[in-house]
Protein backbone atom coordinates (compact mmCIF):
# COMPACT_ATOMS: atom_id res chain seq x y z
CA UNK A 1 0.00 0.00 0.00
CA UNK A 2 2.77 2.45 0.91
CA UNK A 3 4.53 1.67 -2.38
CA UNK A 4 1.31 2.51 -4.23
CA UNK A 5 0.97 5.80 -2.36
CA UNK A 6 4.61 6.64 -3.04
CA UNK A 7 4.18 5.85 -6.74
CA UNK A 8 1.11 8.06 -6.94
CA UNK A 9 2.90 10.87 -5.14
CA UNK A 10 5.98 10.66 -7.32
CA UNK A 11 3.95 10.51 -10.53
CA UNK A 12 1.99 13.57 -9.44
CA UNK A 13 5.19 15.43 -8.60
CA UNK A 14 6.75 14.47 -11.94
CA UNK A 15 3.66 15.67 -13.78
CA UNK A 16 3.77 19.02 -11.95
CA UNK A 17 7.43 19.43 -12.87
CA UNK A 18 6.70 18.71 -16.55
CA UNK A 19 3.73 21.06 -16.61
CA UNK A 20 5.38 23.80 -14.60
CA UNK A 21 2.94 23.53 -11.70
CA UNK A 22 5.25 22.60 -8.89
CA UNK A 23 4.26 24.22 -5.57
CA UNK A 24 4.57 27.95 -5.92
CA UNK A 25 5.21 27.78 -9.67
CA UNK A 26 1.89 29.24 -10.76
CA UNK A 27 -0.19 28.13 -13.76
CA UNK A 28 0.90 25.40 -16.18
CA UNK A 29 3.14 26.68 -18.95
CA UNK A 30 2.81 30.28 -17.84
CA UNK A 31 5.34 32.74 -16.56
CA UNK A 32 5.06 33.15 -12.81
CA UNK A 33 6.55 36.49 -11.82
CA UNK A 34 4.92 36.19 -8.44
CA UNK A 35 6.29 32.74 -7.73
CA UNK A 36 8.01 33.96 -4.60
CA UNK A 37 4.98 35.89 -3.34
CA UNK A 38 2.91 34.73 -0.35
CA UNK A 39 -0.05 34.12 -2.67
CA UNK A 40 1.94 31.80 -4.91
CA UNK A 41 3.25 29.95 -1.88
CA UNK A 42 -0.27 29.49 -0.56
CA UNK A 43 -1.47 28.22 -3.93
CA UNK A 44 1.33 25.68 -4.04
CA UNK A 45 0.66 24.58 -0.47
CA UNK A 46 -3.06 24.23 -1.18
CA UNK A 47 -2.35 22.07 -4.24
CA UNK A 48 0.10 19.89 -2.33
CA UNK A 49 -2.35 19.52 0.57
CA UNK A 50 -5.17 18.57 -1.80
CA UNK A 51 -3.06 15.87 -3.39
CA UNK A 52 -2.07 14.50 0.02
CA UNK A 53 -5.73 14.47 1.10
CA UNK A 54 -6.63 12.44 -1.97
CA UNK A 55 -3.91 9.91 -1.16
CA UNK A 56 -4.98 9.81 2.47
CA UNK A 57 -8.56 9.05 1.41
CA UNK A 58 -7.26 5.89 -0.26
CA UNK A 59 -5.22 5.08 2.84
CA UNK A 60 -8.10 5.75 5.23
CA UNK A 61 -10.57 3.63 3.30
CA UNK A 62 -8.05 0.80 3.24
CA UNK A 63 -7.58 1.22 6.98
CA UNK A 64 -11.29 0.99 7.66
CA UNK A 65 -11.60 -2.31 5.87
CA UNK A 66 -11.57 -5.04 8.45
CA UNK A 67 -12.04 -2.67 11.38
CA UNK A 68 -15.73 -3.54 11.48
CA UNK A 69 -18.04 -5.76 9.43
CA UNK A 70 -20.25 -2.67 9.03
CA UNK A 71 -17.96 0.38 8.61
CA UNK A 72 -19.52 3.67 9.55
CA UNK A 73 -19.84 6.60 7.15
CA UNK A 74 -17.60 9.65 7.35
CA UNK A 75 -20.38 11.64 9.03
CA UNK A 76 -20.99 8.90 11.58
CA UNK A 77 -17.28 8.63 12.22
CA UNK A 78 -17.23 12.34 13.01
CA UNK A 79 -19.91 11.70 15.64
CA UNK A 80 -17.66 9.07 17.22
CA UNK A 81 -14.76 11.53 17.26
CA UNK A 82 -16.89 14.14 19.02
CA UNK A 83 -18.14 11.63 21.59
CA UNK A 84 -14.58 10.46 22.19
CA UNK A 85 -13.48 14.04 22.86
CA UNK A 86 -16.57 15.38 24.66
CA UNK A 87 -18.21 12.75 26.80
CA UNK A 88 -20.96 12.63 27.71
CA UNK A 89 -22.83 15.01 25.42
CA UNK A 90 -26.51 15.57 24.70
CA UNK A 91 -28.12 15.45 21.27
CA UNK A 92 -28.64 19.21 21.02
CA UNK A 93 -25.01 20.00 21.84
CA UNK A 94 -23.82 17.34 19.41
CA UNK A 95 -25.93 18.94 16.69
CA UNK A 96 -24.39 22.33 17.46
CA UNK A 97 -20.87 20.91 17.24
CA UNK A 98 -21.61 19.17 13.94
CA UNK A 99 -23.63 22.05 12.51
CA UNK A 100 -26.39 19.60 11.61
CA UNK A 101 -30.15 19.52 12.03
CA UNK A 102 -31.45 17.53 15.03
CA UNK A 103 -33.25 15.07 12.76
CA UNK A 104 -30.05 14.30 10.86
CA UNK A 105 -28.03 13.88 14.06
CA UNK A 106 -30.73 11.65 15.49
CA UNK A 107 -30.61 9.36 12.44
CA UNK A 108 -26.85 9.08 12.66
CA UNK A 109 -27.08 8.22 16.34
CA UNK A 110 -29.80 5.64 15.65
CA UNK A 111 -27.45 3.92 13.20
CA UNK A 112 -24.49 4.03 15.60
CA UNK A 113 -26.68 2.78 18.43
CA UNK A 114 -27.85 -0.14 16.28
CA UNK A 115 -24.20 -0.99 15.58
CA UNK A 116 -23.50 -0.98 19.31
CA UNK A 117 -20.97 1.86 19.04
CA UNK A 118 -22.79 4.43 21.18
CA UNK A 119 -25.33 4.35 23.98
CA UNK A 120 -27.90 6.75 25.34
CA UNK A 121 -28.75 7.25 28.98
CA UNK A 122 -30.79 9.75 31.02
CA UNK A 123 -28.94 13.01 31.57
CA UNK A 124 -27.68 13.77 35.05
CA UNK A 125 -28.51 17.45 34.43
CA UNK A 126 -32.02 17.16 33.03
CA UNK A 127 -34.58 14.37 32.93
CA UNK A 128 -35.79 15.68 29.59
CA UNK A 129 -32.48 15.01 27.88
CA UNK A 130 -30.42 11.98 26.99
CA UNK A 131 -26.66 11.76 27.20
CA UNK A 132 -24.66 10.12 24.42
CA UNK A 133 -21.42 8.27 25.02
CA UNK A 134 -19.25 5.67 23.34
CA UNK A 135 -19.72 2.05 24.29
CA UNK A 136 -16.77 -0.25 24.89
CA UNK A 137 -17.26 -1.47 21.34
CA UNK A 138 -17.22 2.11 20.05
CA UNK A 139 -13.98 2.85 21.91
CA UNK A 140 -12.42 -0.31 20.48
CA UNK A 141 -13.56 0.65 16.97
CA UNK A 142 -11.75 3.98 17.23
CA UNK A 143 -8.66 2.43 18.79
CA UNK A 144 -8.40 -0.16 16.03
CA UNK A 145 -9.06 2.42 13.31
CA UNK A 146 -6.46 4.83 14.65
CA UNK A 147 -3.92 2.06 15.11
CA UNK A 148 -4.33 0.96 11.49
CA UNK A 149 -4.01 4.51 10.24
CA UNK A 150 -0.95 5.28 12.36
CA UNK A 151 0.72 2.06 11.20
CA UNK A 152 0.08 2.99 7.57
CA UNK A 153 1.36 6.52 8.14
CA UNK A 154 4.51 5.31 9.90
CA UNK A 155 5.16 3.00 6.96
CA UNK A 156 5.06 5.96 4.59
CA UNK A 157 6.93 8.37 6.87
CA UNK A 158 9.73 5.84 7.43
CA UNK A 159 10.88 6.66 3.91
CA UNK A 160 11.38 10.35 4.79
CA UNK A 161 14.51 11.94 6.17
CA UNK A 162 14.66 13.43 9.67
CA UNK A 163 14.58 16.94 8.21
CA UNK A 164 11.53 16.11 6.11
CA UNK A 165 9.77 14.63 9.15
CA UNK A 166 10.47 17.79 11.16
CA UNK A 167 9.22 19.99 8.34
CA UNK A 168 6.12 17.83 7.99
CA UNK A 169 5.35 18.04 11.71
CA UNK A 170 5.82 21.82 11.72
CA UNK A 171 3.67 22.25 8.63
CA UNK A 172 0.87 20.06 9.96
CA UNK A 173 0.89 21.86 13.31
CA UNK A 174 0.57 25.18 11.50
CA UNK A 175 -2.19 23.80 9.28
CA UNK A 176 -4.13 22.51 12.30
CA UNK A 177 -3.77 25.81 14.14
CA UNK A 178 -5.01 27.74 11.08
CA UNK A 179 -7.93 25.34 10.69
CA UNK A 180 -8.93 25.65 14.33
CA UNK A 181 -8.67 29.44 14.15
CA UNK A 182 -10.81 29.47 11.02
CA UNK A 183 -13.49 27.30 12.62
CA UNK A 184 -13.48 29.45 15.74
CA UNK A 185 -13.99 32.59 13.63
CA UNK A 186 -16.78 30.91 11.70
CA UNK A 187 -18.58 29.97 14.91
CA UNK A 188 -18.07 33.49 16.29
CA UNK A 189 -19.61 34.92 13.12
CA UNK A 190 -22.65 32.67 13.57
CA UNK A 191 -21.87 30.38 10.66
CA UNK A 192 -21.30 27.29 12.77
CA UNK A 193 -18.99 24.43 11.88
CA UNK A 194 -19.15 22.60 8.59
CA UNK A 195 -22.36 20.65 8.22
CA UNK A 196 -22.41 16.86 8.44
CA UNK A 197 -25.81 15.83 7.19
CA UNK A 198 -25.26 12.37 5.70
CA UNK A 199 -26.88 9.66 7.87
Amino acid sequence: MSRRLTDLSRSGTAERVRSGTTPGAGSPGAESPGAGSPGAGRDGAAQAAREVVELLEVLWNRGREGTSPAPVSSSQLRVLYVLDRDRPINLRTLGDVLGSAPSSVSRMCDRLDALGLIERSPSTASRRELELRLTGRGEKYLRDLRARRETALRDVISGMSAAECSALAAGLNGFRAALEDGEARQVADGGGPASATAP
Side-chain angles (χ1 to χ4, degrees):
M1 180 61 190
S2 62
R3 182 178 302 151
R4 173 60 177 159
L5 287 170
T6 302
D7 291 344
L8 285 172
S9 178
R10 287 175 177 168
S11 65
T13 300
E15 179 59 32
R16 289 197 306 274
V17 170
R18 287 193 299 271
S19 63
T21 57
T22 50
S27 303
E31 292 295 329
S32 52
S37 68
R42 285 192 291 268
D43 289 345
Q47 181 180 356
R50 187 261 303 163
E51 292 174 351
V52 170
V53 168
E54 291 172 356
L55 293 174
L56 285 176
E57 286 176 348
V58 176
L59 193 65
W60 284 176
N61 288 332
R62 180 66 60 87
R64 290 207 295 184
E65 295 172 4
T67 304
S68 166
V72 301
S73 68
S74 297
S75 297
Q76 293 162 356
L77 184 58
R78 190 176 176 211
V79 171
L80 297 183
Y81 287 149
V82 173
L83 295 185
D84 184 49
R85 185 191 65 213
D86 304 321
R87 62 174 84 181
I89 190 172
N90 61 40
L91 194 65
R92 183 183 62 223
T93 304
L94 177 60
D96 291 342
V97 172
L98 298 176
S100 300
S103 58
S104 177
V105 176
S106 182
R107 287 196 301 271
M108 286 191 284
C109 289
D110 286 343
R111 172 63 174 164
L112 293 170
D113 194 355
L115 290 172
L117 300 178
I118 69 170
E119 61 184 0
R120 312 179 203 203
S121 59
S123 171
T124 55
S126 172
R127 295 180 180 179
R128 302 176 59 183
E129 294 182 343
L130 293 176
E131 291 179 339
L132 305 168
R133 54 172 51 86
L134 293 177
T135 62
R137 184 176 181 181
E139 292 175 349
K140 183 178 185 302
Y141 178 89
L142 285 184
R143 280 198 308 271
D144 291 348
L145 178 62
R146 285 166 170 161
R148 286 174 178 269
R149 289 179 169 181
E150 288 182 12
T151 296
L153 287 172
R154 287 194 187 98
D155 190 25
V156 174
I157 291 172
S158 65
M160 298 170 60
S161 68
E164 288 172 333
C165 288
S166 296
L168 175 64
L172 290 176
N173 285 332
F175 179 84
R176 181 175 62 183
L179 180 62
E180 291 173 348
D181 288 346
E183 288 186 340
R185 287 195 299 270
Q186 189 176 23
V187 171
D189 292 339
S195 177
T197 56

